[in-house]
Amino acid sequence: METLPALVERLPELFAPLDLVGLAIMLGCVWGMTLLIERANPARPSVSMLMNGYRAEWMKELAHRDVRIMDAQLLNTLRGGTAFFASTCLISIGGVAALIGQADRLVILLGDLGGAPVASAAPVWEAKLMVILLMLINAFLKFVWAHRLFAYCAVMMGAMPAPGAEGLNAAIARSVELNSAAARSFNRGLRMIYFALAALGWFLGAFFLIFATLATAAMLYRREFLSRSRAALMPR
């Protein structure tokens, strides 16, 4: 197994130009979809932006409720979702890391199944697995941070002043910001998982990587801007 700096130095040698183009398209889609979703035109908001509006309404309603058991249960549900995806990412990271250490055996297995392994096959597989590993690590960190932010929001909810008390509006604004930031981190983690799955197409070739990446971006766009769920969330 080669070290990461050695793999980076050998990228032009190991990959065809189309592979590097596919990788650039994938990274561009990750960055571009984040900007498109989180900074959409307010006249045509994304689902994520619409949900942030409902989160603000939630915090305003919460501030005027004496009993907040339901709100605590809702927040625990959100934290449970982030914990589930964080643990899933951690298991996946361990699996991918193990595969990186067994790249030579994977090449031999491919040859036994009828492929034609070449001398450079193992480093190529290691580099591709390394890309997926880094994406999963990024997603894991996003989920962990979202989990922490939801915990901060729970504390803010517990410290919310009584209805009509001084500082209530400021407390609501802080709670909205924390809740929205947690959701933003959670959504970024989900998108990273989507594109990590698309990156699996790279093992079939650069064309498959490009197709899977563009298909994933199209799916995200449809869900955020053209889906029935968005139509249901739009104010009437």
Side-chain angles (χ1 to χ4, degrees):
M1 174 181 173
E2 297 189 41
T3 62
L4 180 58
L7 284 174
V8 172
E9 290 179 359
R10 293 186 61 193
L11 283 179
E13 172 189 342
L14 297 175
F15 295 104
L18 188 59
D19 288 297
L20 300 180
V21 169
L23 181 59
I25 290 175
M26 186 182 68
L27 296 178
C29 283
V30 171
W31 179 73
M33 290 305 299
T34 297
L35 288 180
L36 182 64
I37 292 170
E38 296 180 1
R39 300 185 182 182
N41 187 341
R44 193 168 181 271
S46 63
V47 169
S48 298
M49 293 176 65
L50 290 170
M51 287 304 301
N52 284 339
Y54 285 108
R55 291 174 192 279
E57 292 298 322
W58 175 20
M59 293 298 110
K60 291 176 183 177
E61 291 296 324
L62 173 147
H64 295 91
R65 279 197 284 263
D66 293 327
V67 180
R68 298 168 180 169
I69 296 176
M70 180 188 69
D71 304 293
Q73 291 176 337
L74 290 173
L75 203 58
N76 282 334
T77 300
L78 293 175
R79 293 190 69 196
T82 59
F84 169 77
F85 281 105
S87 60
T88 301
C89 280
L90 200 57
I91 295 171
S92 301
I93 288 169
V96 174
L99 286 176
I100 291 176
Q102 300 296 325
D104 292 331
R105 294 186 180 182
L106 289 174
V107 172
I108 294 174
L109 177 62
L110 180 63
D112 292 339
L113 293 176
V118 296
S120 62
V124 168
W125 276 52
E126 289 174 3
K128 293 178 179 180
L129 287 169
M130 193 72 71
V131 171
I132 296 174
L133 179 64
L134 292 175
M135 296 177 74
L136 290 173
I137 290 174
N138 182 275
F140 171 74
L141 294 176
K142 296 294 185 186
F143 291 131
V144 170
W145 183 234
H147 193 271
R148 289 291 301 275
L149 288 175
F150 280 129
Y152 296 159
C153 186
V155 173
M156 287 298 302
M157 288 166 55
M160 189 83 68
E166 184 179 357
L168 178 61
N169 291 334
I172 292 174
R174 288 194 292 269
S175 297
V176 171
E177 180 61 29
L178 285 173
N179 205 318
S180 298
R184 183 166 55 249
S185 185
F186 178 76
N187 289 332
R188 288 178 179 179
L190 283 180
R191 286 195 294 273
M192 193 59 65
I193 288 181
Y194 294 154
F195 283 107
L197 292 174
L200 293 174
W202 202 3
F203 292 103
L204 300 177
F207 283 110
F208 288 95
L209 171 64
I210 296 172
F211 173 79
T213 298
L214 295 179
T216 300
M219 177 199 68
L220 288 172
Y221 183 86
R222 187 193 66 80
R223 290 182 176 181
E224 290 286 339
F225 296 98
L226 302 174
S227 63
R228 293 183 179 178
S229 55
R230 178 185 179 276
L233 291 170
M234 286 292 291
R236 292 177 173 83

